[in-house]
Amino acid sequence: MSTSTSPAVTADDNPSEASVSAPKGSFSRAAKLTKVSHGKGPKKTRLEPFTAISYVGVTVFGLFALIPLWMIVAGSLTEESALARSGYSFFPEPFSLDAYVAIFSGTALFQGYAATLFITVVGTALSLCATASLSWVIARRMPRISRPLTVFAYLPMLFSGGLVPLYLLVTQVLQLQNSWFAVILPHMMAPFLVFVAVSFFRQLPEEILDSAKVDGAGELRVFFEIVLPLSKPILAVIGLFYAVSYWNEWFTAMLFISDPEKYPLQLMLQNLIANVTNAAMLPGSGSVAPIYQLRLALTVVTIGPILLAYPFAQRYFVKGLTLGATKG
């Protein structure tokens, strides 16, 4: 007496059981039979209320962020007389490129770009080296070294030396007046980012570090060949924070740089906004400079390049910025 069951009988009588009892490798056929017998299409995903509210909230927030940016772009393309008469508008009418022609006709903008790029690239590289090195020593909990360095990094979060000691240190002791390093050095290490990096380093698996030491690797080799490659997410996020900070820095440049040929872009924009007569420093602006249009155009030129940095670091944001949210 045989106890086997025909596949056709099983599929017709109870398709769901046929799909469950089907042998390995026939799941697609069983699913097809189930779909045909029920006569229904693929199940639609139901949009949950929280997801719908999130979409609406993100859309509204995006509009609040994009509309002012578009108003600046449209204003920079609107003729000066229309800006002075009716203010900002969504569409540039009458259309004018006078401000961009004035900006790009001279060398001031390119000198400002060179200064800002040097401060951003060199400053970010130095800041990453200093922050990663200090954070690794603190994270290793080395006797007689890690604790004093922790206090050294923690105190600036609570107390500041003040503006006058900083000015005397940079101009009298370090002699860095009219140097781009006068902008870099005061911002080379952010205590908050040091402790973010310490939190990441302490989550690295100890087994990997111990196995490297068993194989004969020293502390520096472990740091450069194992720790740094595993730390790309946090290094990318910290690097982006430093880069944005250096790119937007203008106050320190205003304190220590007096040579107009060494002005970064943000200091040029600040001078243009604060004083209308500074528009004359842009060669090619002519005797009647489009002041309002120049301000908006220089703002567009200034913020453009740093926006391109976000897509390259975006994939590291989730892993890098959620550090410390979970406890092992």
Side-chain angles (χ1 to χ4, degrees):
M1 183 177 61
S2 174
T3 57
S4 61
T5 306
S6 170
V9 174
T10 304
D12 293 337
D13 294 344
N14 192 345
S16 61
E17 290 183 3
S19 62
V20 172
S21 61
K24 188 176 181 180
S26 62
F27 287 105
S28 59
R29 177 175 174 270
K32 185 177 180 181
L33 289 173
T34 304
K35 178 181 175 181
V36 171
S37 62
H38 284 283
K40 297 179 179 177
K43 187 178 180 180
K44 296 182 179 178
T45 303
R46 184 180 179 184
L47 188 62
E48 298 181 357
F50 179 78
T51 305
I53 295 174
S54 300
Y55 285 157
V56 174
V58 171
T59 303
V60 173
F61 182 80
L63 290 176
F64 275 113
L66 290 177
I67 288 177
L69 182 61
W70 171 247
M71 297 286 283
I72 292 174
V73 175
S76 68
L77 298 172
T78 305
E79 196 174 82
E80 177 78 1
S81 58
L83 276 177
R85 184 175 60 254
S86 57
Y88 302 106
S89 61
F90 271 101
F91 303 102
E93 187 178 359
F95 186 83
S96 173
L97 291 174
D98 291 346
Y100 291 97
V101 172
I103 287 176
F104 287 102
S105 61
T107 59
L109 180 71
F110 300 103
Q111 290 174 350
Y113 257 114
T116 303
L117 285 175
F118 181 87
I119 292 171
T120 303
V121 174
V122 176
T124 303
L126 292 177
S127 297
L128 272 178
C129 293
T131 302
S133 304
L134 178 61
S135 304
W136 176 245
V137 176
I138 294 176
R140 295 293 288 167
R141 295 189 175 95
M142 296 179 178
R144 297 189 297 275
I145 298 177
S146 296
R147 188 176 293 276
L149 288 179
T150 304
V151 176
F152 173 77
Y154 185 65
L155 282 180
M157 294 180 66
L158 305 177
F159 307 103
S160 173
L163 189 59
V164 174
L166 174 65
Y167 186 83
L168 294 177
L169 175 66
V170 174
T171 58
Q172 303 298 323
V173 179
L174 301 177
Q175 300 287 331
L176 290 176
Q177 197 164 11
N178 268 332
S179 171
W180 291 328
F181 283 98
V183 183
I184 294 174
L185 292 182
H187 303 281
M188 205 170 75
M189 190 175 298
F192 173 74
L193 297 180
V194 169
F195 289 105
V196 171
V198 169
S199 176
F200 182 89
F201 289 148
R202 284 179 177 171
Q203 294 180 11
L204 294 177
E206 287 287 342
E207 294 79 7
I208 298 178
L209 307 179
D210 293 339
S211 63
K213 287 192 173 181
V214 170
D215 291 339
E219 195 69 30
L220 286 178
R221 189 172 182 184
V222 170
F223 178 67
F224 284 107
E225 296 188 7
I226 297 179
V227 174
L228 290 185
L230 292 175
S231 306
K232 288 181 181 177
I234 191 62
L235 294 179
V237 173
I238 290 177
L240 181 63
F241 284 159
Y242 277 125
V244 173
S245 174
Y246 282 120
W247 185 272
N248 293 328
E249 181 57 39
W250 63 270
F251 183 72
T252 311
M254 185 186 68
L255 289 177
F256 302 118
I257 296 179
S258 57
D259 186 357
E261 294 184 355
K262 294 184 177 180
Y263 280 178
L265 279 176
Q266 286 68 27
L267 184 57
M268 293 171 58
L269 180 61
Q270 170 62 26
N271 288 339
L272 191 61
I273 293 174
N275 192 347
V276 173
T277 58
N278 282 312
M281 72 181 183
L282 294 173
S285 57
S287 56
V288 183
I291 303 301
Y292 298 108
Q293 203 179 353
L294 271 176
R295 291 173 176 172
L296 299 175
L298 193 56
T299 303
V300 173
V301 174
T302 301
I303 65 175
I306 197 63
L307 292 179
L308 301 178
Y310 281 92
F312 295 100
Q314 184 182 7
R315 59 176 177 165
Y316 297 112
F317 272 0
V318 174
K319 190 174 180 180
L321 290 180
T322 55
L323 295 173
T326 57
K327 301 296 182 183

